[in-house]
Amino acid sequence: MFYIIGLGLCDEKDITIRGLEAVKGSSRVYLEAYTSILMVQKEQLEAFYGKELILADRDMVETESDEILRGAAKEDVSLLVVGDPFGATTHTDMLLRARALEIPCRVIHNASIMNAVGASGLQLYNFGQTVSLVFFTETWKPDSFYDRIKENADLGMHTLVLLDIKVKEQSEENLARGRKIYEPPRYMSIPQAVSQLIEIEEDRQSGVLSPESTLAIALSRVGGGPGNERIVAGTLAELSVQSPEMFGEPLHSLVIVGKRVHPLEIEYAEEFAVDRNIWRNVAIGVYGCKFD
Amino acid sequence: MFYIIGLGLCDEKDITIRGLEAVKGSSRVYLEAYTSILMVQKEQLEAFYGKELILADRDMVETESDEILRGAAKEDVSLLVVGDPFGATTHTDMLLRARALEIPCRVIHNASIMNAVGASGLQLYNFGQTVSLVFFTETWKPDSFYDRIKENADLGMHTLVLLDIKVKEQSEENLARGRKIYEPPRYMSIPQAVSQLIEIEEDRQSGVLSPESTLAIALSRVGGGPGNERIVAGTLAELSVQSPEMFGEPLHSLVIVGKRVHPLEIEYAEEFAVDRNIWRNVAIGVYGCKFD
């Protein structure tokens, strides 16, 4: 059996009992190291699971899937991924490959930001499509995310914005010289994400986003529990002027609040507001929320 | 500490290690029994967790939250819920109440249909808002879901349709006489859901849904693994004529495929097609998919 096992959001204890049993019974266990990041080191996972983990980076998962799948028709092989296995298209590719090789597969689900974003207090059924925001460079500012946010906003839906991660990137020089030397990982911060959103709004002028009157909720290390997880709510302007330390270590995500927001959602998130008065006043004045 | 712990999708082994530790350390453990259903009995959970579980039905969670929260400032109390804790507004209410009582809380996330629907092969970021479909009666056919599906369809997004569950319902007679006698649970089947969708399409005539040219994917017992989980893909017409046995036991969900579908999504789901040729031909002819 080939298992793809979701590790959930934070650390070694977020695996399910079913997932842990599959790990313990596997001949080889791969740990996928690129689609996202864990809040914990490989060694800590190995100690807790009692298993050696083989690090599977982007190259390996995309180009050596047959090596990962080797023998899985006769023995158990596991691939561990952060969040839920269906968070990345690469895993669909792996499952298609396993199917072609007639290897039985089982997916062991877990939480991912796609459902844990409910921790913001916003209701999952009020979310539209999810968008990704990549690091802008001087010459490359892909802005199709803006159209997606607009589509959601026009319907009053919330938008989950996933912030870019750069892991195992090579500098142009190292790439050109074929040197496998990698840059330190980079994670987009909340203020940077907001500044990119505002930059595109200023270009497009469609009125989808407004620094003073668009509400948003920043989520950091969701599922990390008290003292680790952090949720910050405010206008885009408020979030943009916070120091990056306000949000702490990665990973960060951002939700743009849609106009169909329910007063109960506002009330729940008010606990996380930079300024409760501004939060509630914008909800009333701009979003049309009515409170008792 | 008050814990709300997601149990995941299927049975006692879908809890996380972190969740199981919280259960074992709690003075009282409540099992919420109404927002959804587990594929397993309370006794099986109790045996595996080594803890007695207190069944908390709808009345109790909504009206006796202070009893559930009693003592949680000094000792640990857990509430177990199917899927992820933020799948239902009731849990947000509980957390607001705990906050008002200054009881520290921790949410332990897990998989829910909102992210596990990725098992269909459809990409999560291509989903619009989620809708619920309730049992129609002769005189009551709430159809606002149709507007939501239309909004998603106009953008080319997929729609996850959650099918109604009736648990612990009283007949009109028993309700009138104040007798707490409950009807057997009812779960909407896939053919019934499709027939309700088509009925409203025939009323509205907006061309959002078409028996022959709208593709959909039915998911049953997601996460249940080989031999239990079942995924069936086809046109609405094809799904409507399957026998309910085709989909097996509850729970069932349905996805309406949006026009922005990627050929890789179609290819992945083709494995589940009632008729592979029809599936692919509709994808090409109606959805404009191009295959190599």
Side-chain angles (χ1 to χ4, degrees):
Chain A
M1 181 79 80
F2 175 60
Y3 290 99
I4 303 193
I5 303 171
L7 292 181
L9 296 159
C10 293
D11 64 25
E12 71 278 8
K13 292 189 176 177
D14 288 322
I15 197 170
T16 64
I17 305 292
R18 170 162 284 115
L20 186 58
E21 286 182 356
V23 167
K24 287 188 182 291
S26 289
S27 313
R28 299 193 313 286
V29 183
Y30 294 89
L31 171 64
E32 188 199 57
Y34 77 92
T35 46
S36 188
I37 58 144
L38 272 182
M39 299 179 200
V40 69
Q41 299 299 310
K42 171 172 170 277
E43 291 69 28
Q44 195 171 333
L45 295 177
E46 288 179 321
F48 188 81
Y49 300 155
K51 275 280 180 179
E52 189 193 337
L53 304 181
I54 307 164
L55 216 56
D57 62 16
R58 186 192 292 248
D59 294 344
M60 185 163 192
V61 175
E62 288 184 357
T63 64
E64 296 174 54
S65 58
D66 281 11
E67 167 55 21
I68 294 175
L69 293 167
R70 176 175 52 83
K74 293 188 178 157
E75 55 191 4
D76 290 347
V77 174
S78 292
L79 173 64
L80 306 180
V81 304
V82 177
D84 184 73
F86 287 107
T89 46
T90 328
H91 308 141
T92 317
D93 289 341
M94 276 292 280
L95 290 166
L96 279 171
R97 183 64 190 150
R99 202 189 273 173
L101 296 170
E102 296 185 346
I103 292 169
C105 295
R106 175 152 192 185
V107 172
I108 300 181
H109 290 281
N110 210 320
S112 63
I113 187 65
M114 305 294 282
N115 69 339
V117 66
S120 63
L122 300 176
Q123 293 298 316
L124 293 177
Y125 55 78
N126 285 338
F127 279 75
Q129 58 199 309
T130 299
V131 305
S132 295
L133 186 59
V134 302
F135 280 112
F136 286 176
T137 67
E138 281 304 307
T139 53
W140 192 63
K141 303 188 177 188
D143 63 358
S144 62
F145 69 86
Y146 183 87
D147 303 299
R148 304 287 92 78
I149 295 176
K150 183 175 191 315
E151 288 172 344
N152 289 341
D154 287 347
L155 297 175
M157 299 282 101
H158 310 314
T159 304
L160 170 61
V161 183
L162 303 174
L163 309 192
D164 202 4
I165 303 167
K166 295 286 187 198
V167 179
K168 222 180 165 187
E169 278 216 316
Q170 290 167 278
S171 67
E172 284 186 23
E173 192 190 339
N174 284 328
L175 192 64
R177 291 173 186 241
R179 291 191 297 218
K180 291 210 166 184
I181 300 171
Y182 302 102
E183 302 301 300
R186 287 193 301 149
Y187 306 94
M188 189 183 291
S189 71
I190 295 293
Q192 184 169 10
V194 172
S195 119
Q196 291 194 182
L197 293 175
I198 296 297
E199 183 178 342
I200 299 302
E201 175 62 48
E202 286 170 356
D203 279 3
R204 300 281 203 99
Q205 299 279 348
S206 303
V208 175
L209 301 167
S210 150
E212 308 298 336
S213 59
T214 296
L215 296 177
I217 303 180
L219 299 104
S220 308
R221 300 170 308 285
V222 176
N228 184 11
E229 173 177 288
R230 199 165 304 167
I231 304 177
V232 183
T235 62
L236 290 177
E238 287 177 309
L239 295 181
S240 72
V241 297
Q242 304 301 314
S243 76
E245 290 70 40
M246 172 78 167
F247 308 98
E249 297 295 307
L251 293 174
H252 306 294
S253 310
L254 185 70
V255 181
I256 309 293
V257 178
K259 290 281 165 68
R260 265 193 221 162
V261 68
H262 189 277
L264 184 66
E265 296 177 274
I266 291 294
E267 192 183 339
Y268 189 87
E270 190 171 301
E271 172 88 2
F272 313 123
V274 173
D275 181 312
R276 287 171 178 247
N277 286 328
I278 293 177
W279 178 255
R280 193 169 276 240
N281 287 338
V282 173
I284 294 168
V286 181
Y287 286 73
C289 281
K290 291 184 173 64
F291 298 93
D292 298 331
Chain B
M1 180 81 80
F2 174 60
Y3 290 98
I4 303 194
I5 303 172
L7 292 181
L9 297 160
C10 293
D11 65 25
E12 72 277 9
K13 291 190 177 177
D14 287 323
I15 196 170
T16 65
I17 304 293
R18 168 163 286 113
L20 186 58
E21 285 182 357
V23 167
K24 287 187 181 291
S26 289
S27 314
R28 299 192 313 284
V29 183
Y30 295 88
L31 172 64
E32 188 199 58
Y34 77 92
T35 47
S36 189
I37 59 143
L38 271 182
M39 299 180 202
V40 68
Q41 299 298 312
K42 171 171 170 277
E43 291 69 28
Q44 195 171 333
L45 295 177
E46 288 179 322
F48 189 82
Y49 301 156
K51 276 276 179 182
E52 189 194 338
L53 303 181
I54 307 163
L55 216 55
D57 62 16
R58 186 193 294 247
D59 293 346
M60 185 164 193
V61 175
E62 287 183 358
T63 64
E64 296 176 51
S65 57
D66 283 10
E67 167 56 22
I68 294 175
L69 293 167
R70 177 175 52 83
K74 292 188 178 156
E75 54 191 4
D76 290 347
V77 174
S78 293
L79 173 64
L80 306 180
V81 303
V82 177
D84 184 73
F86 287 107
T89 47
T90 328
H91 308 141
T92 318
D93 289 341
M94 276 292 279
L95 289 166
L96 278 171
R97 183 64 190 150
R99 203 189 271 173
L101 296 170
E102 296 187 346
I103 292 169
C105 296
R106 176 153 192 185
V107 172
I108 300 183
H109 291 281
N110 211 321
S112 62
I113 188 64
M114 304 296 282
N115 69 340
V117 66
S120 62
L122 300 176
Q123 293 298 316
L124 293 177
Y125 55 78
N126 285 338
F127 278 76
Q129 58 199 308
T130 298
V131 305
S132 294
L133 186 60
V134 302
F135 281 112
F136 287 176
T137 67
E138 280 303 306
T139 54
W140 192 62
K141 302 187 180 193
D143 62 358
S144 62
F145 69 85
Y146 183 87
D147 304 298
R148 304 287 93 77
I149 295 176
K150 182 174 192 313
E151 289 171 344
N152 289 341
D154 287 347
L155 297 175
M157 299 283 100
H158 310 314
T159 305
L160 170 61
V161 183
L162 302 175
L163 308 194
D164 201 5
I165 302 167
K166 295 284 186 197
V167 179
K168 223 180 164 188
E169 278 216 316
Q170 290 166 278
S171 67
E172 284 184 23
E173 190 190 341
N174 285 326
L175 192 65
R177 292 173 183 242
R179 292 191 296 219
K180 291 210 165 184
I181 299 170
Y182 302 103
E183 302 300 301
R186 285 193 302 149
Y187 307 93
M188 189 182 291
S189 72
I190 296 292
Q192 185 170 9
V194 172
S195 119
Q196 292 195 181
L197 293 175
I198 296 297
E199 182 177 344
I200 299 303
E201 174 64 48
E202 285 170 355
D203 279 3
R204 302 281 204 98
Q205 298 279 348
S206 301
V208 175
L209 301 167
S210 152
E212 309 297 336
S213 59
T214 296
L215 296 178
I217 303 179
L219 299 102
S220 308
R221 301 170 308 285
V222 175
N228 185 10
E229 172 177 288
R230 199 165 305 166
I231 304 177
V232 182
T235 61
L236 291 178
E238 286 178 307
L239 296 181
S240 72
V241 296
Q242 304 301 315
S243 77
E245 290 70 39
M246 172 78 169
F247 308 99
E249 297 295 305
L251 291 175
H252 306 294
S253 310
L254 184 70
V255 181
I256 309 293
V257 178
K259 290 281 166 69
R260 266 193 218 160
V261 68
H262 188 277
L264 183 66
E265 295 175 274
I266 291 293
E267 193 184 337
Y268 189 86
E270 191 171 301
E271 173 88 2
F272 313 124
V274 173
D275 181 313
R276 287 170 178 247
N277 285 329
I278 293 177
W279 178 256
R280 192 169 276 239
N281 287 339
V282 173
I284 294 169
V286 180
Y287 286 73
C289 282
K290 289 185 175 63
F291 297 93
D292 298 332

